[in-house]
Amino acid sequence: STTRLYFIADKLVGMVLDMYKEPKRMVEDISALGLRHVGYGIPTDLFGPFVTACVKVVRMLTDDDAAEEAFRWSLNLISRMLTRVINEGSTIVMKAINVNSNKMLKKAVGCAPRGKRALWVLNVQVGTQSISPLMWAIETGSLEAARGIIVDLLTIRADRDRYYYGMDIMFERHSNIINLLCLDAPALLPVLLDGLIWRSRIAENGQRRGNYYIKHLVVDEQGDFAKSVEWIRDHADPKIVVHPVIAMVTDIVWNRVALRT
């Protein structure tokens, strides 16, 4: 729309001026903007024609060659920075998210070493700025890709030296992921909660051993009571409330803490 074009033009002029006034801050802002464009899947080939068009418009508005050159230099620098950030941030995981393909996501993450799989789907960093592929998939509605990321993170893997389980790093990166899923992707809540349960494939006397990984649903990073139960309550979905993981958390909190106070 015309209003959107006016907004872009205003932001562009402001960035051109700020590049001279506060270059250090602008580097950070441009890096963050470039990472958002990675999520939008913007082709970098469009930056060149866009810069040329903007310079031509400025040339029509002024006869001051110095002002025109200053505008061109600043905008060209911004364009090169955005191109670099987008090229460095366009990982195969982000490309899979852009097309919302679980199949492409599995293939992309399959290239990562076991110890790096979680980082590939939780952090894309260029300079000092970073973006979370998981969070981007949830916010943009790429739920098939988000489902694949959650399943991959909560799959237990092993080699000769150790086990790999992405639960801790996922909650460290997104301590409020329960709330985010309640608000933006409630269909993925059962997927995440199911991933917090490990069930043995071996049955003994008709029963199978199961482990519940509920630490991050009980306490937060500071050791205080986590808000997971509060978020689930506000979500008001009876199917989620009776999930075995939530039932385990509420039973532990009630029987071992609340009942004794």
Side-chain angles (χ1 to χ4, degrees):
S1 65
T2 304
T3 303
R4 184 64 179 174
L5 291 176
Y6 286 157
F7 171 80
I8 293 174
D10 288 342
K11 293 293 290 185
L12 183 145
V13 173
M15 291 173 66
V16 167
L17 295 174
D18 288 343
M19 182 59 73
Y20 290 102
K21 296 178 181 178
E22 302 178 85
K24 291 184 178 180
R25 180 182 64 82
M26 282 305 300
V27 169
E28 301 294 328
D29 292 349
I30 292 171
S31 296
L33 179 63
L35 284 175
R36 289 200 298 273
H37 279 69
V38 170
Y40 299 142
I42 302 298
T44 56
D45 297 342
L46 299 178
F47 283 112
F50 180 75
V51 171
T52 301
C54 292
V55 172
K56 286 183 178 179
V57 171
V58 170
R59 186 177 298 132
M60 296 167 55
L61 300 175
T62 181
D63 295 328
D64 190 335
D65 294 338
E68 178 189 334
E69 177 61 22
F71 180 87
R72 184 199 62 77
W73 181 88
S74 180
L75 187 57
N76 195 41
L77 178 60
I78 293 172
S79 172
R80 293 200 304 270
M81 292 173 63
L82 285 172
T83 300
R84 178 183 64 83
V85 172
I86 292 173
N87 287 337
E88 292 183 9
S90 295
T91 64
I92 51 179
V93 171
M94 290 299 293
K95 292 178 180 178
I97 292 173
N98 288 338
V99 296
N100 194 23
S101 172
N102 190 20
K103 181 178 180 180
M104 285 183 62
L105 180 74
K106 289 181 179 179
K107 187 176 181 180
V109 180
C111 300
R114 286 188 182 94
K116 300 289 186 180
R117 291 177 76 103
L119 290 177
W120 278 37
V121 297
L122 289 175
N123 189 54
V124 173
Q125 184 157 348
V126 179
T128 59
Q129 299 294 318
S130 64
I131 188 174
S132 168
L134 171 58
M135 195 55 51
W136 186 261
I138 293 172
E139 291 176 352
T140 58
S142 300
L143 299 188
E144 285 301 313
R147 178 188 298 271
I149 291 175
I150 293 173
V151 170
D152 190 86
L153 283 170
L154 300 181
T155 298
I156 299 176
R157 297 179 174 84
D159 56 23
R160 293 182 178 181
D161 298 324
R162 55 170 293 185
Y163 287 94
Y164 299 93
Y165 186 43
M167 177 196 65
D168 286 332
I169 190 171
M170 180 181 69
F171 278 98
E172 288 171 6
R173 181 77 164 117
H174 304 296
S175 58
N176 62 337
I177 189 169
I178 298 293
N179 189 39
L180 291 169
L181 293 180
C182 287
L183 296 175
D184 298 329
L188 298 182
L189 267 175
V191 178
L192 185 144
L193 295 176
D194 289 342
L196 300 179
I197 304 175
W198 172 84
R199 296 182 177 89
S200 174
R201 60 183 176 82
I202 300 174
E204 296 181 5
N205 298 323
Q207 295 181 325
R208 290 193 300 166
R209 177 186 172 187
N211 292 344
Y212 286 69
Y213 299 92
I214 59 175
K215 168 187 173 182
H216 298 284
L217 303 185
V218 178
V219 295
D220 59 18
E221 295 176 343
Q222 289 74 37
D224 299 324
F225 182 57
K227 294 184 177 180
S228 301
V229 175
E230 180 181 341
W231 293 329
I232 294 296
R233 181 205 64 192
D234 294 340
H235 183 52
D237 186 341
K239 293 183 179 179
I240 297 299
V241 171
V242 298
H243 190 280
V245 168
I246 302 301
M248 174 69 74
V249 171
T250 53
D251 287 346
I252 287 178
V253 172
W254 174 255
N255 292 327
R256 299 188 184 183
V257 181
L259 187 61
R260 300 182 183 183
T261 58

